[in-house]
């Protein structure tokens, strides 16, 4: 009798006996019973602990073979095999155990994922509701439960990692794996890091352990992507791409939002939707007055502050109906800054989004979201819609977890507070209605309308100046990103096409990120003169003279992306960047005149006395 644990394939590879032979499997959860002793017969057997024996029938019934000789267990990387030879009856001159020969090989991945990877609060190490990832939580852990399904005990030389494919899949859904751990975080999770992978403890066959990976879900988008994990060796791994080393399972990601028209906070997971409407609440007026005074002081300070600028932008997005989890997260962090002692400078002494090291409340939320005594919900209505009858991974219906109600009450509170702040601050600053009041950001300096249509603005510091452009944004008409939706692209400050000879620029691939049409993809079709009639009626307006420029790019939409236009009115001032592999993200030109021309960047620099840096 030979004993095994886990999932193996038995194959009859040889028979040299006149008597019938068979393989008898006992103790298996699947694949047990009798396997004919015929060359080519095969069966997959699984079980926590099972045994096989070999029998023969000499005409008087089935009897166990007199000799069963297991060969050595052969391990080659992730593969494991064993040859079993047997002798039904030993006789003079007949001692070779070749009456029935078996090949037993390990099948299936070296490990299983008995439950889908789940979201864990980075501060408390408590699983979030049904393990669903929510973007508002920012930094969190991905808990992965691993079961040893290999043919022997995992020693401590094995490492678990999210594969490159798994990381790319997560990134496509807005979740980024963070490999830099603090000593405190490793101590809290009782883990040892090796490179970017987590070292597994000794693990017997059939036993499980849970490891944690850091992920930033700030930009997470709803879905249930498969995440691939890989098992590697601490030393050289002989077969790193062997399928036995890999396994994958889906995670669940939720979207959260606030519907201003209905006054509802909403969370959506792949299996359903939960809505909550705050009907009544009590508020500590002294705490609220403190909050509003701080915001008002920041917003009305001469020259403006970063806090005021951020508040204006976020309120404009919320008023415009764009109130997804990214905006809500910004609102929470902004309120955190408002209530913290160091908030005016943009710091966040009360902790931001559950990032390790900051002070946080339950579930990793900033304490500002659960301010003691500031608010207390008195009445709210909520509804659950689960068309597929979702019952959750662990326990009853996932939405029955009170954490969801806490989450949505926080969203409703934030939206309510921001509405109040908006009305108070607007009375003092005049910019409560986003878009109605122009805002001074600097002073116009040198300009040129001879070789280009551009000027220099000397910024006053009220707005940040960074060498980046916004990638495609979720929900916009044009949504084919360069790097990824809702991210930013770093500009390479070099001239992409130094030569402006038509043969050197025609057909070049470019892109731009503009205020009107967003991120679009284009192809340079020609370079030549550009003329625009800016007069109105019979009499020209001296303040808006005609524009006549030479040496301008003509750029059309790249048909491969299905975008109607490369640019339109409102996109003026956008930087045009290269999509060519050799000059990717380098500067091509400056777009002007709306649905018209683009000046080569070298002409712009020469006209205004500037250089790229």
């Amino acid at each position: 009798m030979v004993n095994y644990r886990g999932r193996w394939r038995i194959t009859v590879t040889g028979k040299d006996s006149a008597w019938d032979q068979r393989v008898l499997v006992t103790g298996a959860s699947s694949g047990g019973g009798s396997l004919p002793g015929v060359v080519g017969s095969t069966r997959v057997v699984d079980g926590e602990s099972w045994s096989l024996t070999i029998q023969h029938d000499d005409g008087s019934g089935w009897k166990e073979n007199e000799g069963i000789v297991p060969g050595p267990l052969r391990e080659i990387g992730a593969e494991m095999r064993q040859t079993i030879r047997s002798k039904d009856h030993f006789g003079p001159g007949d001692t070779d155990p070749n009456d029935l020969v078996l090949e037993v090989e390990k099948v299936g991945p070296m490990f299983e994922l008995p439950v889908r990877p789940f979201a864990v609060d980075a501060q408390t190490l408590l699983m979030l509701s049904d393990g669903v990832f929510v973007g508002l939580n920012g930094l969190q852990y991905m808990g992965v439960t691993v079961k040893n399904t290999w043919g022997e005990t995992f020693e401590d030389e094995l490492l678990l990692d999210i594969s490159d494919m798994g990381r790319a899949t997560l990134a496509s859904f807005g979740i980024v794996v963070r490999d830099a751990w603090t000593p405190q975080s490793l101590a809290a999770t009782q883990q040892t890091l090796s490179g970017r992978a987590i070292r597994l403890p000794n693990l017997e066959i059939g036993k499980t352990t849970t490891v944690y990976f850091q992920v930033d879900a700030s930009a997470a988008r709803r879905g249930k992507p498969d995440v691939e994990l890989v098992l590697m060796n601490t030393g050289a791994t002989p077969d790193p791409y062997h399928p036995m080393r890999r396994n994958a399972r889906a995670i669940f990601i939720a979207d959260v939002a606030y519907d201003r028209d209905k006054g509802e906070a909403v969370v959506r997971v792949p299996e359903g939707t939960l809505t909550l409407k705050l009907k009544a609440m009590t508020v500590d007026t002294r705490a609220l007055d403190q909050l509003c005074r701080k915001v008002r002081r920041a917003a009305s300070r001469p020259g403006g502050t970063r806090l005021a600028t951020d508040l204006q932008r976020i309120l404009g997005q919320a008023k415009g109906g764009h109130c997804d989890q990214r905006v809500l997260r910004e609102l929470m962090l902004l309120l955190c800054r408002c209530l913290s002692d160091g908030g005016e400078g943009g710091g966040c002494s009360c902790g931001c989004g559950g990032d390790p090291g900051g002070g946080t409340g339950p579930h990793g939320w900033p304490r500002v979201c659960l301010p003691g005594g500031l608010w207390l919900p008195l009445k709210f209505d909520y509804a659950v819609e689960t068309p597929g009858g979702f019952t959750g991974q662990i326990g009853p219906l996932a939405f029955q977890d009170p954490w969801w109600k806490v989450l949505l009450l926080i969203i409703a509170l934030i939206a309510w507070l921001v509405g109040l702040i908006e009305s108070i601050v607007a009375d003092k600053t005049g910019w409560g209605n986003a878009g109605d009041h122009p805002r001074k950001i600097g002073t116009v300096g040198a300009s040129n309308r001879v070789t280009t249509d551009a000027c220099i603005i000397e910024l006053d510091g009220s707005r940040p100046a960074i060498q980046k452009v916004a990638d495609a944004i979720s929900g916009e008409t044009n949504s084919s990103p360069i790097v990824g939706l809702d991210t930013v692209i770093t500009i390479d400050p070099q001239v992409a096409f130094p030569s402006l000879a038509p043969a050197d620029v025609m057909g070049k691939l470019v892109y731009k990120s503009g205020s009107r049409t967003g991120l679009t993809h284009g192809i340079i079709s020609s370079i030549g003169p550009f003329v625009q009639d800016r007069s109105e009626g019979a009499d020209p307006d001296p303040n808006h003279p005609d524009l006549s420029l030479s040496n301008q790019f003509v750029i059309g939409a790249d048909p491969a992306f299905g975008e109607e236009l490369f640019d339109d009115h409102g996109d003026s001032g956008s930087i045009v960047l290269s999509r060519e592999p050799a000059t990717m993200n380098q500067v091509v030109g400056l777009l002007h005149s709306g649905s018209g021309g683009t000046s080569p960047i070298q002409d712009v620099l020469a006209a205004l006395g500037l250089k790229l840096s």
Side-chain angles (χ1 to χ4, degrees):
M1 181 177 291
V2 186
N3 300 317
Y4 292 95
R5 301 183 67 182
R7 195 164 183 247
W8 297 74
R9 177 182 288 110
I10 304 171
T11 303
V12 178
T13 58
K15 181 177 182 292
D16 186 15
S17 175
W19 294 337
D20 289 341
Q21 307 280 322
R22 73 177 183 180
V23 181
L24 190 63
V25 176
T26 57
S29 58
S30 64
S34 176
L35 176 68
V38 177
V39 174
S41 296
T42 185
R43 176 178 299 173
V44 174
V45 182
D46 197 1
E48 185 174 345
S49 178
W50 55 273
S51 305
L52 71 79
T53 189
I54 301 175
Q55 299 179 335
H56 68 277
D57 184 0
D58 58 5
S60 61
W62 291 102
K63 305 179 182 65
E64 286 195 17
N65 286 10
E66 293 182 2
I68 298 178
V69 185
L73 198 62
R74 306 187 304 276
E75 294 183 39
I76 305 175
E79 294 185 354
M80 186 176 293
R81 297 172 180 269
Q82 186 175 34
T83 300
I84 300 177
R85 299 163 60 83
S86 69
K87 189 66 180 173
D88 49 24
H89 176 70
F90 289 101
D94 186 13
T95 59
D96 187 10
N98 63 351
D99 290 347
L100 195 70
V101 182
L102 310 177
E103 186 76 6
V104 183
E105 60 177 325
K106 191 71 183 72
V107 295
M110 296 174 68
F111 66 98
E112 287 184 356
L113 305 172
V115 296
R116 56 178 160 80
F118 51 93
V120 175
D121 175 62
Q123 297 297 313
T124 64
L125 295 185
L126 295 176
M127 185 180 78
L128 302 183
S129 179
D130 202 53
V132 177
F133 292 84
V134 183
L136 285 173
N137 288 71
L139 189 72
Q140 50 207 267
Y141 293 147
M142 176 182 291
V144 180
T145 300
V146 180
K147 180 180 180 181
N148 179 358
T149 56
W150 205 35
E152 62 182 19
T153 299
F154 285 169
E155 304 294 344
D156 63 358
E157 79 280 0
L158 290 179
L159 308 172
L160 188 71
D161 191 12
I162 302 175
S163 71
D164 291 340
M165 176 64 73
R167 290 165 182 257
T169 300
L170 286 172
S172 70
F173 281 82
I175 296 181
V176 179
V177 181
R178 299 297 186 196
D179 295 316
W181 288 74
T182 65
Q184 294 83 356
S185 297
L186 287 173
T189 56
Q190 299 182 7
Q191 298 189 138
T192 301
L193 196 65
S194 180
R196 70 181 198 184
I198 306 298
R199 185 188 293 266
L200 292 181
N202 286 7
L203 194 64
E204 294 183 2
I205 300 172
K207 300 300 182 180
T208 62
T209 189
T210 299
V211 299
Y212 301 95
F213 296 93
Q214 290 184 136
V215 296
D216 185 348
S218 301
R221 294 181 292 279
R222 176 178 42 150
K224 47 181 181 179
D226 286 330
V227 180
E228 185 184 65
L229 283 297
V230 59
L231 200 62
M232 309 292 279
N233 294 352
T234 53
T237 303
D239 50 355
Y241 300 103
H242 198 291
M244 288 275 285
R245 294 189 176 274
R246 296 166 186 265
N247 210 337
R249 187 146 184 183
I251 64 170
F252 280 13
I253 309 172
D255 281 343
V256 294
Y258 184 76
D259 188 326
R260 288 178 61 93
D261 295 333
K262 296 181 180 179
E264 290 181 342
V266 185
V267 59
R268 299 181 180 89
V269 296
E271 271 65 27
T273 301
L274 172 62
T275 58
L276 180 144
K277 180 178 291 188
L278 189 61
K279 307 290 285 188
M281 66 184 301
T282 181
V283 178
D284 183 333
T285 56
R286 292 182 61 186
L288 183 61
D289 286 343
Q290 178 192 28
L291 170 63
C292 293
R293 280 197 304 272
K294 287 191 174 185
V295 175
R296 187 164 52 224
R297 284 199 303 269
S300 60
R301 182 163 297 178
T305 65
R306 189 174 123 196
L307 179 61
T309 301
D310 289 347
L311 183 59
Q312 180 185 17
R313 174 179 55 80
I314 296 170
L315 291 179
Q317 289 178 294
K319 287 186 65 180
H322 184 67
C323 203
D324 60 13
Q325 63 190 22
R326 293 173 64 86
V327 174
L328 288 168
R329 178 173 168 78
E330 283 195 273
L331 290 176
M332 279 185 260
L333 300 185
L334 179 140
L335 289 180
C336 172
R337 288 161 56 191
C338 293
L339 286 181
S340 65
D341 293 336
E344 177 58 28
C348 192
S349 64
C350 63
C352 292
D355 295 335
T360 54
H363 308 295
W365 294 91
R367 294 189 193 280
V368 65
C369 302
L370 299 169
L374 175 60
W375 69 287
L376 177 67
L378 300 179
K379 182 180 179 182
F380 58 89
D381 295 334
Y382 74 96
V384 176
E385 178 185 357
T386 55
F390 179 51
T391 58
Q393 171 171 266
I394 299 175
L397 183 69
F399 284 140
Q400 292 179 3
D401 189 322
W403 184 86
W404 288 119
K405 298 175 194 174
V406 173
L407 169 71
L408 295 189
L409 282 170
I410 290 169
I411 296 170
L413 167 72
I414 296 299
W416 181 84
L417 283 177
V418 169
L420 183 61
I421 294 169
E422 176 186 11
S423 62
I424 294 174
V425 175
D427 292 340
K428 198 74 177 175
T429 64
W431 51 254
N433 296 318
D436 295 342
H437 303 276
R439 178 171 176 81
K440 178 178 177 291
I441 63 172
T443 304
V444 177
S447 63
N448 182 282
R449 301 188 74 255
V450 178
T451 58
T452 182
D453 185 14
C455 67
I456 297 175
I457 296 179
E458 298 176 4
L459 298 176
D460 59 14
S462 63
R463 295 286 180 94
I466 57 175
Q467 293 191 117
K468 297 180 179 180
V469 296
D471 209 328
I473 298 174
S474 301
E476 291 191 344
T477 302
N478 300 323
S479 57
S480 298
I482 298 294
V483 176
L485 286 172
D486 306 316
T487 61
V488 294
I489 306 167
T490 301
I491 297 173
D492 183 356
Q494 300 184 63
V495 176
F497 309 136
S499 170
L500 296 179
D504 294 331
V505 296
M506 288 178 59
K508 295 293 187 183
L509 304 178
V510 297
Y511 72 93
K512 74 96 185 62
S513 180
S515 175
R516 178 71 176 273
T517 56
L519 190 133
T520 56
H521 306 70
I523 302 175
I524 299 177
S525 59
S526 65
I527 182 169
F530 173 85
V531 178
Q532 186 179 61
D533 184 357
R534 295 186 171 182
S535 63
E536 298 181 1
D539 299 321
D541 182 356
N543 294 320
H544 296 84
D546 295 346
L547 192 64
S548 179
L549 305 173
S550 61
N551 213 42
Q552 303 293 294
F553 291 128
V554 176
I555 304 174
D558 187 338
F561 294 88
E563 298 159 351
E564 293 186 8
L565 299 169
F566 177 69
D567 62 290
D568 203 350
H569 297 283
D571 289 327
S572 297
S574 299
I575 294 291
V576 177
L577 301 165
S578 172
R579 280 193 293 135
E580 296 291 334
T583 57
M584 189 70 186
N585 300 330
Q586 293 183 5
V587 186
V588 174
L590 181 70
L591 193 150
H592 61 79
S593 304
S595 190
T598 297
S599 297
I601 194 62
Q602 48 266 60
D603 290 354
V604 176
L605 299 176
L608 300 177
L610 302 173
K611 67 178 181 178
L612 294 175
S613 62

